[in-house]
Amino acid sequence: MTDELYMQRCLELASLGMGNVSPNPMVGCVIVSEGKIIGEGYHEKIGEAHAEVNAVKAVFDKYGAESAALLLKNATAYVSLEPCAHFGKTPPCADLLIRHQLKRVVIGNRDPFEAVDGKGIEKLKNAGIEVSSGILEKESSWLNRRFFTRILQKRPYIILKWARTANGFFAPVGDEQRWISRPLAKRLVHKWRTEEDAVLVGKRTALVDNPQLNAREWPGRNPIRLLIDRNLEIPSEHYLYNNEAKTIIFNEIKTDVVDNIHFVQMEDMQYYLPQKIAFQLYLMDIQSVIIDGGAQLLNQFITAGLWDEARVFTSAVSWADGMLSPQINGMITEVQQIGKDQLSIYQNKR
């Protein structure tokens, strides 16, 4: 139970990196000596120090060089993901733990990334460090589900999101703009945008709603905005063309970069569009995406089975008519009340 308690703290720390470390995984590290936590750290930002580096630094900052060196030689490091064994933007964390002669390392998940994938564990063991792995493995996997999806399935983690009325309508029949969910749900959606790499809409949604697709109602960074506009019909005066965030427009006309607007030409977008989009995003190191409509686009991803999670708001309001909401066959894992709206979270059964 002691190992699990310290690993739970690692996961709490790791989650603080949400939205700031992609396409890296979220990682937390806790260093314990004689039953006392002497240092903690997490991966705070892409390109910057990893969790183990920050935790070791915390020990030195607190105890000074001489005492820290002695404490680390008798310490156990808890890390939510296998320490890296390769030179990337930073040196290998496995080497750092070996250099400070830690007695034991406890790991949540083995890292499936090809340059690591057991090599960090092997390095530690070869250096005479005791290694335990698979502690809170399920919880660690869930925290880094975006990272694992990108590495193992060669695509981003795909979240579908929409709102429906109490009687199952998704949008008006015409081009009228009508809100279904309430302001509290909108704030939650903006929070989600700070946590994921990108948000995707289709042409009709962009034309009718003129969405900003930013996180203006929640502190944090804006996601990359993605638009499907085969014939480049969205006027440049629309919000998606402003300079608030990087915008990628998938189209059949051109490939070009104009300031923050990236045009990406694709062929035959009427065929296998979800698969093509998913692969393009993988190549761009986009690790997670929210599909935010419209109904046709959502249904394409549902039909292709190309989704991991669906977040569906159901309003207390009913309409006399409208466009029917997408239907999804998934496992409901969570239901909660968000003000006057009900939020249901589905996971793909596969």
Side-chain angles (χ1 to χ4, degrees):
M1 283 301 296
T2 303
D3 283 352
E4 292 180 352
L5 286 171
Y6 289 129
M7 188 58 67
Q8 183 59 48
R9 178 59 181 160
C10 286
L11 297 179
E12 291 170 2
L13 290 166
S15 68
L16 297 176
M18 172 73 80
N20 296 314
V21 301
S22 178
N24 281 0
M26 293 176 280
V27 184
C29 178
V30 173
I31 300 177
V32 178
S33 181
E34 297 181 355
K36 179 183 177 182
I37 293 177
I38 59 172
E40 294 184 336
Y42 67 96
H43 185 29
E44 298 178 19
K45 190 175 181 181
I46 181 70
E48 295 185 0
H50 287 187
E52 299 92 325
V53 176
N54 288 329
V56 169
K57 181 179 182 298
V59 178
F60 277 87
D61 288 347
K62 185 173 182 179
Y63 296 97
E66 189 174 335
S67 295
L70 291 172
L71 285 167
L72 288 170
K73 285 183 180 180
N74 290 302
T76 296
Y78 293 85
V79 193
S80 56
L81 188 70
E82 177 182 1
C84 59
H86 66 297
F87 283 88
K89 291 184 174 67
T90 60
C93 291
D95 290 358
L96 174 74
L97 300 177
I98 291 167
R99 186 166 70 250
H100 290 291
Q101 300 176 353
L102 274 82
K103 183 178 290 186
R104 183 173 179 239
V105 176
V106 180
I107 297 166
N109 278 132
R110 179 166 166 156
D111 188 339
F113 182 53
E114 187 178 2
V116 187
D117 197 16
K119 298 179 182 69
I121 292 173
E122 185 180 5
K123 263 192 175 187
L124 294 169
K125 288 182 175 178
N126 288 343
I129 295 174
E130 179 188 346
V131 179
S132 302
S133 60
I135 309 301
L136 294 190
E137 186 172 19
K138 183 178 178 182
E139 292 83 351
S140 300
S141 296
W142 176 250
L143 178 71
N144 274 316
R145 59 195 183 277
R146 298 160 181 82
F147 173 73
F148 286 120
T149 299
R150 184 178 71 88
I151 296 299
L152 298 174
Q153 299 189 43
K154 304 293 187 290
R155 66 166 178 81
Y157 187 84
I158 298 171
I159 300 167
L160 310 181
K161 171 259 162 187
W162 71 87
R164 62 191 176 197
T165 66
N167 56 342
F169 291 119
F170 172 86
V173 174
D175 289 340
E176 174 192 4
Q177 186 181 31
R178 293 174 69 184
W179 287 102
I180 295 176
S181 55
R182 306 285 289 182
L184 195 59
K186 182 179 179 182
R187 284 202 73 207
L188 179 58
V189 169
H190 285 222
K191 177 180 181 290
W192 291 342
R193 288 176 182 173
T194 69
E195 297 171 345
E196 311 304 337
D197 286 355
V199 57
L200 171 68
V201 295
K203 183 193 73 175
R204 187 174 187 276
T205 297
L207 277 174
V208 174
D209 294 345
N210 189 16
Q212 298 182 58
L213 300 186
N214 59 20
R216 60 195 177 276
E217 294 196 17
W218 195 269
R221 58 107 182 99
N222 289 323
I224 298 170
R225 302 177 297 195
L226 307 173
L227 169 65
I228 295 173
D229 186 9
R230 285 175 62 184
N231 299 310
L232 298 180
E233 298 173 67
I234 303 301
S236 59
E237 296 78 23
H238 272 43
Y239 286 126
L240 289 178
Y241 276 91
N242 67 26
N243 62 3
E244 289 188 6
K246 178 179 178 179
T247 301
I248 299 171
I249 301 176
F250 297 107
N251 69 94
E252 292 186 347
I253 307 298
K254 66 178 181 179
T255 293
D256 195 9
V257 178
V258 182
D259 298 324
N260 63 307
I261 311 299
H262 296 240
F263 297 92
V264 176
Q265 186 177 12
M266 300 175 71
E267 295 182 353
D268 299 324
M269 292 178 69
Q270 69 271 33
Y271 302 115
Y272 303 107
L273 182 63
Q275 292 88 341
K276 290 175 179 177
I277 294 292
F279 185 61
Q280 283 289 334
L281 297 183
Y282 168 73
L283 294 177
M284 295 172 179
D285 269 346
I286 291 176
Q287 189 159 259
S288 63
V289 59
I290 299 173
I291 313 295
D292 206 354
Q296 181 181 354
L297 183 61
L298 287 163
N299 280 321
Q300 283 183 281
F301 276 85
I302 292 170
T303 300
L306 203 53
W307 64 278
D308 299 286
E309 192 174 322
R311 302 172 181 178
V312 183
F313 291 102
T314 303
S315 169
V317 175
S318 293
W319 290 355
D321 60 8
M323 184 184 303
L324 287 173
S325 165
Q327 299 296 309
I328 197 159
N329 182 23
M331 178 175 62
I332 296 179
T333 57
E334 188 177 348
V335 177
Q336 55 180 294
Q337 200 67 28
I338 309 296
K340 294 186 177 181
D341 301 310
Q342 185 183 80
L343 172 64
S344 299
I345 309 290
Y346 297 80
Q347 295 294 324
N348 198 323
K349 288 181 178 179
R350 69 174 188 282

